[in-house]
Amino acid sequence: MTGYGKTGTTIKDVANEVGLSITAVSQVLNGKDCRISQEKRILIQQKAKELNYQPNRNAVALVTNCTKIIGVILNDISNIYFAEFAKGAEDIASENGYQLLLVNMQNRWNKPKSFANLLGYDTTDGLIITRDLDTPELKKYIDTYYYERKKPVANAGNGEFIFPSGNIIFDNEQGGYIATKHLLELGHRRIGCITGSEHTPLSRLRGYKKALLEYGIEYDETLVKVGDYHEELATKHAKDLYEQGVTAIFAFNDLMAFGVYRMAEQNNLCIGKDLSVVGFDDLEFSAFLSTPLTTIQQPAYKMGEASCKMLIDMIKNDTQTAEDVHFQPKLIVRKSTGYAACEKK
């Protein structure tokens, strides 16, 4: 089979240059076992490089049933967490000769079928799902487009669903618990919470509730605001919470914690003194704010690496199952949290 490179060069062109059959050249360039001398192999590879021959992925896929493409469904690429996750996955993919096809869900929860179609049977060798996307609707189409066609899926959703293939699991409940407990240990008793979208898994909120219960504090749903993982709405929620008398706020990601900072600046409040804040993710620049942010470390880059490695291992071993990989949250204490006013020392 001939295949066109980016410049229009075909295997036939390479074969004509080296004086060998198309079949022989194709076998060498596709890494197949054949009775071609090492000298001629080197000649074929050098001539292919000289002519800038690159295999047509579609043509190769028809022959090998392998596209060397991995699909990745992201929640929101504008969120730095997902950009870091994608970078980790891409580095592992590149090391193994794969490319990523990124699909940005952008909170379009009602269109899982169109995304599953795009990343379906003929396009990718496997799929990685990221945080907060393991919804029932998406899971239904993954079952159809991947599991029924014997293709692997690595789930880094960290939500309510555990996939039958392989899961990258981050203990979100524990993260919510240690974030809230840290504030309780500082004497805060009226702690506001800004969650993610309405589709956010309940695990971090469960951790928040668990810590309150442990300290004998009744859960107050009026102190929990539904955010969208971005700054603007979090700024509004932070003002509402402060007016409700909270002395501390736990935000479900660092970007929303930055929204709390903005509200504090607008109202001449001092973060860490007038209002304590804990974020989630430990984005790189959280340590370099004017008041460095206390946050829960979630290693997005390493989770991206682990997801892609898991998926490639499944592809290479022709299996749809893998052992789950677990990541634990870590509290990174900086200057955005301090003692509650009544307990200040």
Side-chain angles (χ1 to χ4, degrees):
M1 175 178 292
T2 60
Y4 288 90
K6 291 183 178 179
T7 60
T9 301
T10 68
I11 286 180
K12 183 178 180 181
D13 296 326
V14 179
N16 288 339
E17 288 289 328
V18 298
L20 294 170
S21 69
I22 292 174
T23 300
V25 171
S26 177
Q27 288 175 330
V28 171
L29 293 179
N30 286 304
K32 294 183 177 180
D33 293 332
C34 56
R35 296 178 180 178
I36 304 294
S37 69
Q38 184 64 21
E39 181 182 0
K40 289 182 179 179
R41 285 176 184 271
I42 293 172
L43 176 63
I44 291 169
Q45 291 165 349
Q46 287 178 338
K47 186 57 63 175
K49 184 175 181 181
E50 184 181 311
L51 294 174
N52 195 27
Y53 169 78
Q54 295 181 21
N56 182 305
R57 284 187 175 274
N58 292 331
V60 173
L62 286 172
V63 175
T64 64
N65 197 31
C66 179
T67 66
K68 303 294 283 187
I69 296 174
I70 291 171
V72 183
I73 300 183
L74 302 169
N75 185 344
D76 181 1
I77 197 64
S78 68
N79 184 326
I80 298 170
Y81 170 88
F82 294 107
E84 280 294 301
F85 181 98
K87 187 175 186 303
E90 184 176 37
D91 285 348
I92 294 297
S94 179
E95 288 176 11
N96 289 273
Y98 284 82
Q99 290 185 339
L100 299 187
L101 175 57
L102 302 179
V103 171
N104 185 27
M105 182 73 85
Q106 196 67 37
N107 295 319
R108 289 170 286 188
W109 305 97
N110 60 336
K111 294 187 176 180
K113 185 175 181 179
S114 62
F115 294 125
N117 275 325
L118 176 61
L119 296 172
Y121 181 67
D122 297 322
T123 312
T124 59
D125 295 334
L127 180 67
I128 297 172
I129 305 169
T130 62
R131 192 174 74 190
D132 302 339
L133 292 179
D134 47 353
T135 63
E137 294 81 8
L138 187 61
K139 187 175 183 298
K140 172 185 174 183
Y141 289 105
I142 288 169
D143 286 342
T144 301
Y145 284 87
Y146 284 88
Y147 292 131
E148 290 182 10
R149 291 176 165 89
K150 308 301 181 186
K151 291 195 174 186
V153 177
N155 172 41
N158 301 313
E160 304 305 306
F161 294 105
I162 297 299
F163 278 51
S165 51
N167 300 275
I168 309 298
I169 299 173
F170 182 82
D171 194 340
N172 278 286
E173 182 171 336
Q174 179 67 7
Y177 170 77
I178 62 178
T180 309
K181 184 178 180 181
H182 171 65
L183 293 170
L184 289 163
E185 288 174 340
L186 292 172
H188 297 280
R189 294 297 179 264
R190 195 163 175 79
I191 302 170
C193 180
I194 305 177
T195 73
S197 72
E198 61 181 317
H199 295 275
T200 301
L202 301 175
S203 46
R204 292 181 193 175
L205 187 60
R206 284 198 298 268
Y208 167 82
K209 292 178 178 179
K210 178 182 176 181
L212 293 178
L213 179 64
E214 191 174 282
Y215 274 73
I217 299 172
E218 186 176 352
Y219 172 69
D220 184 350
E221 65 179 14
T222 67
L223 298 185
V224 177
K225 308 294 182 183
V226 178
D228 60 0
Y229 289 120
H230 290 282
E231 241 180 286
E232 187 173 352
L233 183 57
T235 301
K236 177 183 179 300
H237 286 330
K239 188 171 190 304
D240 292 341
L241 288 169
Y242 186 72
E243 289 176 349
Q244 288 175 251
V246 305
T247 60
I249 294 175
F250 166 38
F252 273 25
N253 76 344
D254 286 359
L255 292 180
M256 293 193 296
F258 302 158
V260 180
Y261 274 60
R262 181 190 293 179
M263 184 282 294
E265 182 179 6
Q266 292 170 350
N267 292 274
N268 297 314
L269 301 175
C270 181
I271 293 291
K273 294 182 179 179
D274 300 318
L275 182 66
S276 288
V277 185
V278 178
F280 209 109
D281 287 340
D282 192 26
L283 300 179
E284 184 176 357
F285 48 80
S286 296
F288 303 107
L289 298 171
S290 56
T291 302
L293 176 66
T294 295
T295 186
I296 300 298
Q297 187 178 78
Q298 180 173 211
Y301 180 87
K302 289 183 178 179
M303 291 173 68
E305 284 187 317
S307 300
C308 196
K309 185 178 185 307
M310 172 186 284
L311 190 69
I312 290 173
D313 285 346
M314 285 192 281
I315 293 170
K316 288 181 176 179
N317 294 318
D318 193 24
T319 181
Q320 285 185 286
T321 59
E323 288 189 17
D324 293 342
V325 176
H326 293 261
F327 287 87
Q328 291 299 318
K330 181 181 179 181
L331 177 68
I332 307 297
V333 178
R334 300 192 180 106
K335 294 183 178 180
S336 69
T337 51
Y339 288 97
C342 62
E343 296 289 329
K344 194 171 180 181
K345 297 178 181 178

